[in-house]
Amino acid sequence: MYKYNDFDEAFVRERVSQFKAQVDRRIDGSLTEDEFKPFRLMNGLYLQLHAYMLRVAIPYGTLNGGQMRQLAYVAETFDKGYGHFTTRQNIQYNWPKLADVPVILEKLADVEMHAIQTSGNTIRNVTADHFAGAAGDEIADPRPIAELLRQWSTDHPEFQALPRKFKIAVSGATNDRAVLRAHDVAVQVVEQDGQRGYRIFVGGGLGRTPMIGKVLRDFLPEADLLPYVEAVVSVWNLLGRRDNKYKARIKITVHEHGIEEISRLVEDRFAEIRPTFSGVDQVILREIEAHFANPTYKTGSTDGFDAYKAANPAFRSWADTNLAAHKNPDYAIVSISLKAHGATPGDASADQMRMMAELAEKYGHNELRISHEQNVILPYVHKSDLPEIYNALRGVALATANIGLISDIIACPGMDYCALATARSIPIAQEIATRFDELKLEHEVGPLKIKISGCINACGHHHVGHIGILGLDRAGVENYQITLGGDHTENAAIGERAGPGFSADEIIPAIERLVLGYLDIRRDADETFIQAYRRLGAQPFKNILYPEKAAQNAA
Amino acid sequence: MAREFTPKVITTNHLLSGDAVWFTVDSTWTGDISEAELLEDEAHADLRLLEANAQRDQVTGAYLADAKDGENGPEPVHFREAFRTRGPSNYNHGKQAEV
Ligand code: SF4
């Protein structure tokens, strides 16, 4: 894992002390709210419906046991004993008090964490494939370039007042687990003729005008990464629409100017700035790479795992559902579900965080990941340790066997917390999960992604859910709109609106109808929801959702 | 035609705690909407909003929210404002936990 150098350390400490002074001046009245707001946002501090909210960056979703423990400590000492992991691999605290925030930031700095650039019109936390470094389908661990991008973008003088926020994602695998095509810029490690390089995507994004990212460069040589990304941001910084915040994201710039024109401008700018990059970045990258070396793998028999699996059906179900293939065949990648049926997606209590920290330290080469799907990953686990891990997780209600299934729902905080929300999303997620648990059907239904957002900003990624749910305010009443056929992977697609929205009372039965109806029309038990949707098109699913309309049309 | 003015309360978040608060007749802040001043005249509401926002070392930016006259005092009209009087629905946290 990356370790702060003296510069990183001094920078973060300096920012904490600046912010402390700003908070003091706000509290004594010498700063107005309007003056203070930009300062607090620069430090990840939002004001939400019921309280302040502090968003802490977890760079590329990677953290160690000590950091997870510190997150637990902060949750318990300064908040209400839990934290919320987000789709951007961050953690949010929902109840901090203003005067405590500088102290919290100090505690975070003690473990090399901060809340810088988690808000505002800057380059945000770089996100990554949560299986990075461990996945079997990976060309290279993308986190060194994520760290390089983090260092380059942090406090970058040219990019502190961008037209709008800017999100970068990285992956080194063929299977896209980082939703690359929904990012302003995405970097995928690729190989061509034995050479390592990058495929660069641009102009993806969800929100009001969802767009799938386009390939800007199919193969970029390794050494060109920073100047090239800098050229992209710099072209957009000039062209981006500052007159209308709904048109300011790079996806609109790409849409309005066309990918050819953007490509031409980027190449011109790149040619200009490339010579100013002396190669120091590549030296730094080599140093960073050393921090991400593989752990020293444990060797030993995995027979105990197989035997335990054969003997214990609950463990078998969990192992079949929550483990992913590791590049080392004796190892597994463990996904810890933060989606116990009826729980708030992405929330973890301080006790749960401490248990995950302990398991990482004891069995997981001291590494944890946060996934954009709001779960926690132990990326390096020797199979012989899985029974102990499972039993320990059970003790803190973290052993739900539902990764990738209908109850593994992404849900943004929605109107239970978020000041921008138009409706709630958490209770909808809770009720769907509870309902399908009662029906005991989720393993039969199989892989299915439900994603819920509490407003058009789409933090809950509803556009790329197989079933997306968007909470809206229709004449002062919560209303839920369903989209179908979205996909967040390398086959990325924006879901199609199914029809009129449903009230809060109608939405759970509607989802149940839809999913049970899918069971009737799928070819066989192996055809997943999204495969059936692609084969049959939207109409049969709409007929299931709106039976009265279907009956009228048939009459 | 100008839209008819509907009753309002002045509300915002408390500076230190971030808690939702409402402005009273005495120009103090209360955590209970039923103790708020119900503003039925537009000019008076605008004036009161200026006075509320002058207390900048107490609260964050105040705004006018629709309210109606209930049995025990003002009540929220919109569900967003109703949530602000209670707290989140997933945990017993916030105001609902205080009573
Ligand atoms: S999607 Fe909307 S409601 Fe949900 S967290 Fe984002 S801004 Fe808030």
Side-chain angles (χ1 to χ4, degrees):
Chain A
M1 266 190 61
Y2 183 70
K3 184 104 199 52
Y4 275 9
N5 58 28
D6 294 346
F7 174 83
D8 297 315
E9 167 81 19
F11 174 73
V12 169
R13 296 281 176 196
E14 172 71 23
R15 281 288 293 264
V16 173
S17 73
Q18 280 171 0
F19 188 55
K20 180 163 183 347
Q22 289 156 355
V23 169
D24 289 346
R25 287 166 60 216
R26 175 67 185 106
I27 291 175
D28 73 17
S30 30
L31 285 177
T32 65
E33 186 60 21
D34 287 346
E35 290 161 342
F36 177 63
K37 190 173 168 186
F39 295 135
R40 72 168 158 76
L41 289 177
M42 279 171 72
N43 291 283
L45 188 63
Y46 287 73
L47 191 56
Q48 298 286 42
L49 282 184
H50 315 292
Y52 287 97
M53 179 273 279
L54 181 66
R55 180 182 294 154
V56 178
I58 300 173
Y60 32 92
T62 295
L63 72 172
N64 62 30
Q67 291 173 319
M68 186 64 114
R69 264 177 219 289
Q70 195 75 338
L71 295 180
Y73 167 80
V74 168
E76 208 163 57
T77 314
F78 303 101
D79 208 273
K80 294 192 188 290
Y82 74 102
H84 175 74
F85 292 102
T86 76
T87 52
R88 300 221 68 257
Q89 302 179 314
N90 296 312
I91 185 170
Q92 295 182 172
Y93 292 107
N94 287 326
W95 303 94
K97 303 272 181 279
L98 180 59
D100 286 340
V101 174
V103 191
I104 298 175
L105 294 177
E106 258 166 40
K107 300 289 175 196
L108 292 169
D110 290 346
V111 293
E112 306 188 349
M113 296 184 86
H114 61 72
I116 297 165
Q117 286 181 212
T118 60
S119 173
N121 295 333
T122 56
I123 298 177
R124 302 286 188 88
N125 183 27
V126 177
T127 53
D129 180 353
H130 44 267
F131 291 172
D137 62 345
E138 189 171 83
I139 291 172
D141 188 340
R143 290 173 304 155
I145 54 167
E147 175 57 28
L148 184 70
L149 288 163
R150 184 193 74 81
Q151 295 190 9
W152 159 83
S153 63
T154 301
D155 226 23
H156 192 303
E158 192 181 336
F159 303 140
Q160 292 306 302
L162 292 167
R164 202 74 174 86
K165 57 186 156 186
F166 198 83
K167 300 177 182 175
I168 303 179
V170 300
S171 167
T174 41
N175 291 306
D176 180 2
R177 288 174 290 263
V179 212
L180 293 181
R181 290 154 185 82
H183 283 81
D184 295 294
V185 157
V187 182
Q188 182 188 4
V189 185
V190 290
E191 248 163 12
Q192 214 176 67
D193 308 323
Q195 286 293 310
R196 184 85 41 93
Y198 308 111
R199 179 174 297 138
I200 308 291
F201 296 91
V202 71
L206 303 177
R208 188 171 297 264
T209 320
M211 301 261 187
I212 299 294
K214 299 181 175 69
V215 175
L216 186 61
R217 253 290 193 118
D218 208 40
F219 187 86
L220 181 75
E222 266 193 297
D224 290 345
L225 182 67
L226 280 195
Y228 193 80
V229 175
E230 182 155 317
V232 176
V233 183
S234 148
V235 163
W236 168 65
N237 200 11
L238 277 180
L239 286 184
R241 298 266 305 259
R242 285 181 158 84
D243 60 317
N244 180 342
K245 77 170 186 175
Y246 300 121
K247 299 207 162 150
R249 295 288 289 270
I250 196 172
K251 62 187 176 187
I252 306 291
T253 315
V254 171
H255 187 70
E256 286 183 348
H257 293 260
I259 187 81
E260 288 80 22
E261 170 74 355
I262 295 294
S263 169
R264 191 182 63 73
L265 292 168
V266 168
E267 295 297 336
D268 287 354
R269 178 73 184 148
F270 173 66
E272 260 169 46
I273 61 177
R274 180 67 185 87
T276 66
F277 280 73
S278 60
V280 174
D281 58 313
Q282 292 302 300
V283 177
I284 294 173
L285 180 60
R286 298 287 96 82
E287 284 165 21
I288 294 172
E289 275 167 350
H291 292 287
F292 291 93
N294 275 327
T296 315
Y297 287 120
K298 198 166 129 169
T299 51
S301 162
T302 60
D303 293 349
F305 164 67
D306 297 322
Y308 197 74
K309 207 174 148 183
N312 183 331
F315 176 71
R316 182 161 65 240
S317 167
W318 177 81
D320 288 344
T321 312
N322 291 30
L323 302 183
H326 201 282
K327 63 183 178 191
N328 178 336
D330 290 345
Y331 270 65
I333 302 173
V334 176
S335 292
I336 301 172
S337 169
L338 298 185
K339 318 285 178 69
H341 300 107
T344 303
D347 278 12
S349 69
D351 284 344
Q352 290 176 323
M353 290 185 219
R354 269 191 293 266
M355 176 55 81
M356 294 188 280
E358 188 183 321
L359 293 174
E361 285 161 351
K362 209 161 153 191
Y363 304 110
H365 298 277
N366 201 17
E367 257 205 63
L368 295 139
R369 307 285 173 74
I370 309 304
S371 76
H372 81 268
E373 293 176 320
Q374 302 177 287
N375 292 312
V376 177
I377 316 291
L378 296 171
Y380 301 104
V381 176
H382 190 265
K383 285 181 180 166
S384 63
D385 293 324
L386 288 166
E388 280 84 358
I389 289 179
Y390 170 74
N391 286 313
L393 289 173
R394 264 176 58 138
V396 288
L398 284 177
T400 312
N402 65 346
I403 295 295
L405 302 180
I406 192 168
S407 60
D408 183 10
I409 299 171
I410 291 183
C412 78
M415 208 186 272
D416 285 305
Y417 298 91
C418 178
L420 302 173
T422 42
R424 288 174 295 178
S425 36
I426 291 170
I428 305 302
Q430 291 174 304
E431 286 172 44
I432 293 172
T434 306
R435 180 64 189 140
F436 278 86
D437 189 39
E438 281 163 11
L439 294 171
K440 293 288 165 235
L441 266 181
E442 67 175 333
H443 288 270
E444 166 151 9
V445 169
L448 178 54
K449 305 277 184 190
I450 297 187
K451 302 180 197 273
I452 311 176
S453 305
C455 82
I456 192 65
N457 289 331
C459 304
H461 293 189
H462 66 278
H463 295 113
V464 292
H466 300 158
I467 300 174
I469 302 176
L470 166 63
L472 294 169
D473 172 353
R474 282 278 177 263
V477 183
E478 288 171 294
N479 188 273
Y480 295 90
Q481 200 173 80
I482 293 181
T483 50
L484 294 169
D487 188 323
H488 67 294
T489 69
E490 59 283 1
N491 307 311
I494 303 292
E496 184 193 335
R497 219 189 113 188
F502 295 90
S503 71
D505 292 338
E506 292 165 346
I507 183 70
I508 311 300
I511 296 295
E512 181 175 336
R513 198 156 67 235
L514 180 63
V515 174
L516 296 183
Y518 143 73
L519 292 180
D520 292 338
I521 58 177
R522 68 180 175 186
R523 190 156 36 201
D524 55 43
D526 290 332
E527 189 178 50
T528 62
F529 182 92
I530 188 70
Q531 287 165 345
Y533 181 87
R534 291 207 185 107
R535 176 172 62 86
L536 296 163
Q539 198 54 52
F541 294 86
K542 290 185 187 172
N543 292 347
I544 298 167
L545 269 178
Y546 303 98
E548 279 135 44
K549 179 124 190 299
Q552 271 171 27
N553 289 346
Chain B
M1 210 180 83
R3 226 164 13 120
E4 203 193 322
F5 183 79
T6 52
K8 304 272 189 290
V9 286
I10 291 172
T11 183
T12 180
N13 296 73
H14 187 255
L15 175 65
L16 294 177
S17 65
D19 201 15
V21 285
W22 290 266
F23 202 44
T24 68
V25 188
D26 309 327
S27 298
T28 57
W29 295 94
T30 172
D32 182 349
I33 188 175
S34 68
E35 294 168 3
E37 177 182 9
L38 190 70
L39 304 157
E40 296 178 280
D41 174 79
E42 186 164 11
H44 179 61
D46 290 344
L47 176 71
R48 293 294 285 154
L49 185 60
L50 286 174
E51 289 169 358
N53 270 322
Q55 297 192 11
R56 65 182 196 188
D57 57 344
Q58 299 278 312
V59 293
T60 60
Y63 61 93
L64 293 167
D66 284 325
K68 59 183 185 237
D69 202 4
E71 229 169 81
N72 301 311
E75 289 174 3
V77 171
H78 191 274
F79 60 89
R80 181 182 195 271
E81 291 303 315
F83 293 155
R84 292 181 70 244
T85 69
R86 295 201 293 267
S89 46
N90 61 332
Y91 299 114
N92 185 29
H93 288 160
K95 293 188 190 302
Q96 60 201 345
E98 289 155 19
V99 285

